Amino acid sequence: MIFSGSIRLPGGCGQAGYASMDRMPPVPENGVLPADPPRVNDYDILAEAYTAENEASLINAYYARPAILALAGDAAGRRILDAGCGSGPLFAALRDRGAIVTGFDSSTGMLEQARQRLGDGADLQVAALGSPLPFPDGAFDDVIAALVLHYLEDWGPALAELRRVLKPGGRLIASVDHPFAIHGIQRQAGRKTDYFATYNWTEDWIMGGQTVPMSFWNRPLHAMTDAFTAAGFRISVISEPHPVPEARELFPGELAAMPSFLCFLFFVLHAG
């Protein structure tokens, strides 16, 4: 079953009613745009409300984050880069497990939330996935890229940089929108999308009284695996996990209707 309920998720699987294939919201009929239209993917505006809303949500706290941590395994002593760390929940969990964690994000608002969570001593930097990263070659044992790659049309530059900062044999642990879930949501909404195409889609996120257009890129599984291998990674794991068991007690209504669902796809990749 495809998850398309009312729980808001980072990057898809929720709020399907807001989804559209337009890159930007349409221009009004009178041709006049608002004085200050919201920027696409503006996490600075959403940072505080987004952090609060997703702190203990079914999809984030009991599905997506536990899946990443399970794939990471024993993190004690490992140097880990949290790429697109947001407000830092995975950073905190990995640090609690003994990892030496560095995080970066392009949103200063989200990094402010991370600093409140993690303290002033946390190694947090402003950087954008897909641009040159401020880290030396081979600096990390693992890179976590949780729900960030699907914001990019071209994965090549981002994967090349993540490969560069990993030591030989290091791991990239990534999660993205499940391509079949997004394809199914678009089909349910009456849009004739092509599963085998790479295409842009948007939806409006409404949080804390703010409405922000969010833009994502869906691509088929083979396009993902081709991008990983072209960047020098060996695919070790492809995972479609379930929520953790305690989720059934905390969210009985949602999980009674759909005990299993597609939402995100998880990978463990090793740098060649």
Side-chain angles (χ1 to χ4, degrees):
M1 179 178 292
I2 297 166
F3 190 93
S4 58
S6 60
I7 296 176
R8 184 179 291 104
L9 315 175
C13 297
Q15 290 210 52
Y18 291 105
S20 76
M21 294 302 297
D22 301 317
R23 183 180 297 247
M24 291 290 292
V27 176
E29 291 184 3
N30 61 10
V32 178
L33 289 170
D36 293 303
R39 292 185 296 118
V40 173
N41 298 343
D42 190 348
Y43 272 101
D44 289 344
I45 290 177
L46 297 177
E48 185 174 356
Y50 177 91
T51 298
E53 185 160 334
N54 290 297
E55 193 69 22
S57 68
L58 165 61
I59 295 299
N60 291 277
Y62 296 93
Y63 167 68
R65 291 200 293 268
I68 289 287
L69 294 171
L71 292 172
D74 183 5
R78 297 185 71 82
R79 301 165 300 161
I80 299 180
L81 176 63
D82 188 356
C85 63
S87 63
L90 280 171
F91 188 123
L94 291 163
R95 188 176 66 177
D96 289 346
R97 288 160 171 76
I100 304 162
V101 189
T102 296
F104 75 83
D105 203 282
S106 62
S107 167
T108 57
M110 293 301 286
L111 289 176
E112 289 173 4
Q113 295 294 313
R115 188 74 66 191
Q116 293 177 29
R117 180 195 304 271
L118 301 167
D120 291 337
D123 185 0
L124 296 168
Q125 302 192 39
V126 178
L129 194 66
S131 299
L133 298 176
F135 310 110
D137 295 356
F140 300 100
D141 299 302
D142 301 314
V143 171
I144 306 293
L147 305 176
V148 291
L149 286 170
H150 48 224
Y151 290 97
L152 304 176
E153 179 179 9
D154 182 4
W155 286 11
L159 291 176
E161 273 296 276
L162 298 181
R163 170 66 184 84
R164 180 186 67 77
V165 302
L166 276 168
K167 72 177 187 180
R171 299 181 302 172
L172 171 58
I173 302 169
S175 58
V176 296
D177 281 338
H178 198 298
F180 194 76
I182 299 303
H183 176 66
I185 289 170
Q186 298 293 336
R187 286 282 181 161
Q188 288 174 359
R191 302 179 185 93
K192 296 182 178 180
T193 54
D194 179 1
Y195 170 80
F196 296 100
T198 296
Y199 59 86
N200 178 249
W201 66 281
T202 69
E203 65 177 0
D204 285 346
W205 284 6
I206 304 170
M207 298 185 188
Q210 301 285 344
T211 300
V212 174
M214 305 298 292
S215 174
F216 310 98
W217 289 88
N218 196 45
R219 71 200 69 224
L221 177 58
H222 78 265
M224 298 181 189
T225 57
D226 287 352
F228 291 142
T229 55
F233 288 101
R234 174 174 54 85
I235 301 169
S236 300
V237 176
I238 300 177
S239 177
E240 296 172 316
H242 298 290
V244 294
E246 54 265 39
R248 302 195 182 281
E249 297 181 5
L250 295 169
F251 303 93
E254 292 92 333
L255 293 177
M258 46 176 198
S260 299
F261 55 82
L262 294 177
C263 188
F264 303 133
L265 195 57
F266 298 78
F267 299 89
V268 178
L269 314 163
H270 282 83

mmCIF file of all heavy atoms in Angstrom, residues 6-37:
data_model
loop_
_atom_site.group_PDB
_atom_site.id
_atom_site.type_symbol
_atom_site.label_atom_id
_atom_site.label_comp_id
_atom_site.label_asym_id
_atom_site.label_seq_id
_atom_site.Cartn_x
_atom_site.Cartn_y
_atom_site.Cartn_z
ATOM 1 N N SER A 6 -2.623 12.029 5.757
ATOM 2 C CA SER A 6 -2.549 13.457 6.073
ATOM 3 C C SER A 6 -1.301 13.822 6.839
ATOM 4 O O SER A 6 -1.068 14.994 7.103
ATOM 5 C CB SER A 6 -3.771 13.849 6.914
ATOM 6 O OG SER A 6 -3.800 13.115 8.124
ATOM 7 N N ILE A 7 -0.450 12.838 7.202
ATOM 8 C CA ILE A 7 0.776 13.169 7.933
ATOM 9 C C ILE A 7 1.769 13.793 6.970
ATOM 10 O O ILE A 7 2.048 13.257 5.908
ATOM 11 C CB ILE A 7 1.373 11.911 8.574
ATOM 12 C CG1 ILE A 7 0.395 11.365 9.623
ATOM 13 C CG2 ILE A 7 2.710 12.198 9.210
ATOM 14 C CD1 ILE A 7 0.845 10.078 10.260
ATOM 15 N N ARG A 8 2.311 14.921 7.344
ATOM 16 C CA ARG A 8 3.230 15.632 6.477
ATOM 17 C C ARG A 8 4.606 15.014 6.576
ATOM 18 O O ARG A 8 5.130 14.773 7.652
ATOM 19 C CB ARG A 8 3.293 17.107 6.877
ATOM 20 C CG ARG A 8 4.150 17.951 5.975
ATOM 21 C CD ARG A 8 4.132 19.389 6.422
ATOM 22 N NE ARG A 8 2.842 19.996 6.215
ATOM 23 C CZ ARG A 8 1.987 20.215 7.196
ATOM 24 N NH1 ARG A 8 2.279 19.852 8.415
ATOM 25 N NH2 ARG A 8 0.834 20.787 6.949
ATOM 26 N N LEU A 9 5.225 14.763 5.443
ATOM 27 C CA LEU A 9 6.522 14.121 5.386
ATOM 28 C C LEU A 9 7.507 15.004 4.650
ATOM 29 O O LEU A 9 7.136 15.770 3.779
ATOM 30 C CB LEU A 9 6.429 12.792 4.623
ATOM 31 C CG LEU A 9 5.245 11.913 4.987
ATOM 32 C CD1 LEU A 9 5.220 10.721 4.076
ATOM 33 C CD2 LEU A 9 5.366 11.493 6.426
ATOM 34 N N PRO A 10 8.797 14.856 4.951
ATOM 35 C CA PRO A 10 9.773 15.555 4.142
ATOM 36 C C PRO A 10 9.937 14.866 2.803
ATOM 37 O O PRO A 10 10.395 13.751 2.705
ATOM 38 C CB PRO A 10 11.065 15.461 4.986
ATOM 39 C CG PRO A 10 10.889 14.262 5.832
ATOM 40 C CD PRO A 10 9.402 14.113 6.057
ATOM 41 N N GLY A 11 9.528 15.509 1.750
ATOM 42 C CA GLY A 11 9.803 14.991 0.436
ATOM 43 C C GLY A 11 8.794 14.033 -0.122
ATOM 44 O O GLY A 11 9.116 13.266 -1.014
ATOM 45 N N GLY A 12 7.575 14.022 0.338
ATOM 46 C CA GLY A 12 6.599 13.203 -0.347
ATOM 47 C C GLY A 12 5.836 12.269 0.563
ATOM 48 O O GLY A 12 5.958 12.293 1.771
ATOM 49 N N CYS A 13 5.034 11.375 -0.048
ATOM 50 C CA CYS A 13 4.237 10.345 0.620
ATOM 51 C C CYS A 13 3.129 10.922 1.475
ATOM 52 O O CYS A 13 2.361 10.176 2.066
ATOM 53 C CB CYS A 13 5.111 9.430 1.481
ATOM 54 S SG CYS A 13 6.314 8.520 0.552
ATOM 55 N N GLY A 14 3.004 12.210 1.596
ATOM 56 C CA GLY A 14 1.916 12.802 2.369
ATOM 57 C C GLY A 14 1.385 14.035 1.674
ATOM 58 O O GLY A 14 2.016 14.594 0.795
ATOM 59 N N GLN A 15 0.201 14.482 2.098
ATOM 60 C CA GLN A 15 -0.427 15.650 1.508
ATOM 61 C C GLN A 15 -0.540 15.542 -0.003
ATOM 62 O O GLN A 15 -0.263 16.472 -0.749
ATOM 63 C CB GLN A 15 0.355 16.928 1.857
ATOM 64 C CG GLN A 15 0.204 17.278 3.327
ATOM 65 C CD GLN A 15 0.286 18.759 3.560
ATOM 66 O OE1 GLN A 15 -0.410 19.529 2.936
ATOM 67 N NE2 GLN A 15 1.124 19.147 4.453
ATOM 68 N N ALA A 16 -0.927 14.353 -0.458
ATOM 69 C CA ALA A 16 -0.987 14.149 -1.900
ATOM 70 C C ALA A 16 -1.923 15.136 -2.580
ATOM 71 O O ALA A 16 -1.752 15.462 -3.749
ATOM 72 C CB ALA A 16 -1.428 12.718 -2.207
ATOM 73 N N GLY A 17 -2.906 15.622 -1.858
ATOM 74 C CA GLY A 17 -3.847 16.556 -2.457
ATOM 75 C C GLY A 17 -3.220 17.862 -2.881
ATOM 76 O O GLY A 17 -3.771 18.576 -3.709
ATOM 77 N N TYR A 18 -2.031 18.167 -2.337
ATOM 78 C CA TYR A 18 -1.366 19.407 -2.704
ATOM 79 C C TYR A 18 -0.393 19.226 -3.863
ATOM 80 O O TYR A 18 0.143 20.183 -4.366
ATOM 81 C CB TYR A 18 -0.582 19.972 -1.508
ATOM 82 C CG TYR A 18 -1.460 20.476 -0.403
ATOM 83 C CD1 TYR A 18 -1.611 19.759 0.776
ATOM 84 C CD2 TYR A 18 -2.159 21.670 -0.544
ATOM 85 C CE1 TYR A 18 -2.420 20.227 1.798
ATOM 86 C CE2 TYR A 18 -2.971 22.137 0.483
ATOM 87 C CZ TYR A 18 -3.092 21.411 1.645
ATOM 88 O OH TYR A 18 -3.888 21.862 2.656
ATOM 89 N N ALA A 19 -0.135 17.989 -4.256
ATOM 90 C CA ALA A 19 0.918 17.755 -5.231
ATOM 91 C C ALA A 19 0.528 18.274 -6.606
ATOM 92 O O ALA A 19 -0.623 18.246 -6.997
ATOM 93 C CB ALA A 19 1.225 16.263 -5.328
ATOM 94 N N SER A 20 1.508 18.737 -7.340
ATOM 95 C CA SER A 20 1.277 19.155 -8.712
ATOM 96 C C SER A 20 2.532 18.896 -9.514
ATOM 97 O O SER A 20 3.607 18.695 -8.969
ATOM 98 C CB SER A 20 0.926 20.644 -8.798
ATOM 99 O OG SER A 20 2.074 21.444 -8.631
ATOM 100 N N MET A 21 2.400 18.917 -10.822
ATOM 101 C CA MET A 21 3.557 18.721 -11.688
ATOM 102 C C MET A 21 4.172 20.045 -12.105
ATOM 103 O O MET A 21 5.096 20.079 -12.907
ATOM 104 C CB MET A 21 3.156 17.920 -12.933
ATOM 105 C CG MET A 21 2.737 16.504 -12.613
ATOM 106 S SD MET A 21 4.030 15.593 -11.755
ATOM 107 C CE MET A 21 5.287 15.600 -13.020
ATOM 108 N N ASP A 22 3.681 21.144 -11.586
ATOM 109 C CA ASP A 22 4.241 22.452 -11.918
ATOM 110 C C ASP A 22 5.500 22.680 -11.108
ATOM 111 O O ASP A 22 5.567 22.343 -9.933
ATOM 112 C CB ASP A 22 3.253 23.576 -11.598
ATOM 113 C CG ASP A 22 1.952 23.412 -12.356
ATOM 114 O OD1 ASP A 22 2.028 23.081 -13.546
ATOM 115 O OD2 ASP A 22 0.891 23.604 -11.741
ATOM 116 N N ARG A 23 6.502 23.277 -11.737
ATOM 117 C CA ARG A 23 7.718 23.597 -11.002
ATOM 118 C C ARG A 23 7.454 24.718 -10.003
ATOM 119 O O ARG A 23 7.990 24.745 -8.921
ATOM 120 C CB ARG A 23 8.823 24.015 -11.973
ATOM 121 C CG ARG A 23 10.153 24.309 -11.293
ATOM 122 C CD ARG A 23 11.175 24.718 -12.309
ATOM 123 N NE ARG A 23 11.419 23.620 -13.220
ATOM 124 C CZ ARG A 23 12.572 22.967 -13.276
ATOM 125 N NH1 ARG A 23 13.540 23.277 -12.474
ATOM 126 N NH2 ARG A 23 12.753 21.987 -14.139
ATOM 127 N N MET A 24 6.639 25.699 -10.374
ATOM 128 C CA MET A 24 6.318 26.822 -9.502
ATOM 129 C C MET A 24 4.812 27.024 -9.501
ATOM 130 O O MET A 24 4.121 26.621 -10.426
ATOM 131 C CB MET A 24 7.011 28.095 -10.007
ATOM 132 C CG MET A 24 8.523 28.078 -9.854
ATOM 133 S SD MET A 24 9.037 28.190 -8.139
ATOM 134 C CE MET A 24 8.537 29.859 -7.768
ATOM 135 N N PRO A 25 4.263 27.675 -8.457
ATOM 136 C CA PRO A 25 2.836 27.962 -8.474
ATOM 137 C C PRO A 25 2.470 28.811 -9.685
ATOM 138 O O PRO A 25 3.265 29.623 -10.160
ATOM 139 C CB PRO A 25 2.626 28.751 -7.166
ATOM 140 C CG PRO A 25 3.782 28.376 -6.306
ATOM 141 C CD PRO A 25 4.928 28.136 -7.234
ATOM 142 N N PRO A 26 1.267 28.642 -10.226
ATOM 143 C CA PRO A 26 0.881 29.400 -11.422
ATOM 144 C C PRO A 26 0.752 30.886 -11.142
ATOM 145 O O PRO A 26 0.470 31.307 -10.025
ATOM 146 C CB PRO A 26 -0.476 28.788 -11.793
ATOM 147 C CG PRO A 26 -1.001 28.218 -10.505
ATOM 148 C CD PRO A 26 0.209 27.738 -9.761
ATOM 149 N N VAL A 27 0.950 31.674 -12.193
ATOM 150 C CA VAL A 27 0.772 33.119 -12.092
ATOM 151 C C VAL A 27 -0.724 33.416 -12.027
ATOM 152 O O VAL A 27 -1.509 32.824 -12.759
ATOM 153 C CB VAL A 27 1.398 33.819 -13.312
ATOM 154 C CG1 VAL A 27 1.146 35.318 -13.269
ATOM 155 C CG2 VAL A 27 2.883 33.526 -13.375
ATOM 156 N N PRO A 28 -1.168 34.316 -11.142
ATOM 157 C CA PRO A 28 -2.594 34.663 -11.094
ATOM 158 C C PRO A 28 -3.081 35.188 -12.429
ATOM 159 O O PRO A 28 -2.309 35.700 -13.249
ATOM 160 C CB PRO A 28 -2.640 35.755 -10.006
ATOM 161 C CG PRO A 28 -1.415 35.532 -9.188
ATOM 162 C CD PRO A 28 -0.376 35.010 -10.133
ATOM 163 N N GLU A 29 -4.413 35.106 -12.646
ATOM 164 C CA GLU A 29 -4.986 35.522 -13.919
ATOM 165 C C GLU A 29 -4.722 36.989 -14.223
ATOM 166 O O GLU A 29 -4.614 37.386 -15.381
ATOM 167 C CB GLU A 29 -6.489 35.243 -13.923
ATOM 168 C CG GLU A 29 -6.831 33.754 -13.941
ATOM 169 C CD GLU A 29 -8.319 33.520 -14.033
ATOM 170 O OE1 GLU A 29 -9.061 34.527 -14.129
ATOM 171 O OE2 GLU A 29 -8.739 32.363 -14.021
ATOM 172 N N ASN A 30 -4.620 37.825 -13.191
ATOM 173 C CA ASN A 30 -4.365 39.244 -13.437
ATOM 174 C C ASN A 30 -2.892 39.525 -13.733
ATOM 175 O O ASN A 30 -2.511 40.668 -13.980
ATOM 176 C CB ASN A 30 -4.839 40.100 -12.266
ATOM 177 C CG ASN A 30 -4.117 39.772 -10.964
ATOM 178 O OD1 ASN A 30 -3.130 39.031 -10.954
ATOM 179 N ND2 ASN A 30 -4.614 40.325 -9.866
ATOM 180 N N GLY A 31 -2.072 38.460 -13.687
ATOM 181 C CA GLY A 31 -0.669 38.610 -14.032
ATOM 182 C C GLY A 31 0.178 39.247 -12.969
ATOM 183 O O GLY A 31 1.368 39.482 -13.174
ATOM 184 N N VAL A 32 -0.383 39.534 -11.798
ATOM 185 C CA VAL A 32 0.353 40.218 -10.733
ATOM 186 C C VAL A 32 0.718 39.202 -9.661
ATOM 187 O O VAL A 32 -0.151 38.564 -9.069
ATOM 188 C CB VAL A 32 -0.487 41.356 -10.119
ATOM 189 C CG1 VAL A 32 0.294 42.010 -8.981
ATOM 190 C CG2 VAL A 32 -0.850 42.362 -11.187
ATOM 191 N N LEU A 33 2.012 39.051 -9.428
ATOM 192 C CA LEU A 33 2.483 38.155 -8.383
ATOM 193 C C LEU A 33 2.507 38.878 -7.042
ATOM 194 O O LEU A 33 2.597 40.113 -6.991
ATOM 195 C CB LEU A 33 3.899 37.661 -8.705
ATOM 196 C CG LEU A 33 4.017 36.664 -9.864
ATOM 197 C CD1 LEU A 33 5.487 36.455 -10.213
ATOM 198 C CD2 LEU A 33 3.363 35.338 -9.505
ATOM 199 N N PRO A 34 2.427 38.158 -5.932
ATOM 200 C CA PRO A 34 2.579 38.793 -4.632
ATOM 201 C C PRO A 34 3.906 39.536 -4.546
ATOM 202 O O PRO A 34 4.879 39.209 -5.237
ATOM 203 C CB PRO A 34 2.533 37.607 -3.657
ATOM 204 C CG PRO A 34 1.836 36.516 -4.404
ATOM 205 C CD PRO A 34 2.182 36.716 -5.835
ATOM 206 N N ALA A 35 3.951 40.534 -3.687
ATOM 207 C CA ALA A 35 5.163 41.342 -3.571
ATOM 208 C C ALA A 35 6.359 40.496 -3.192
ATOM 209 O O ALA A 35 7.457 40.674 -3.721
ATOM 210 C CB ALA A 35 4.941 42.444 -2.538
ATOM 211 N N ASP A 36 6.185 39.566 -2.280
ATOM 212 C CA ASP A 36 7.281 38.715 -1.842
ATOM 213 C C ASP A 36 6.819 37.254 -1.867
ATOM 214 O O ASP A 36 6.487 36.675 -0.827
ATOM 215 C CB ASP A 36 7.732 39.087 -0.424
ATOM 216 C CG ASP A 36 8.370 40.466 -0.386
ATOM 217 O OD1 ASP A 36 9.349 40.674 -1.126
ATOM 218 O OD2 ASP A 36 7.888 41.311 0.384
ATOM 219 N N PRO A 37 6.766 36.638 -3.047
ATOM 220 C CA PRO A 37 6.333 35.245 -3.114
ATOM 221 C C PRO A 37 7.306 34.356 -2.350
ATOM 222 O O PRO A 37 8.515 34.623 -2.315
ATOM 223 C CB PRO A 37 6.358 34.942 -4.617
ATOM 224 C CG PRO A 37 7.313 35.928 -5.193
ATOM 225 C CD PRO A 37 7.155 37.167 -4.365
#
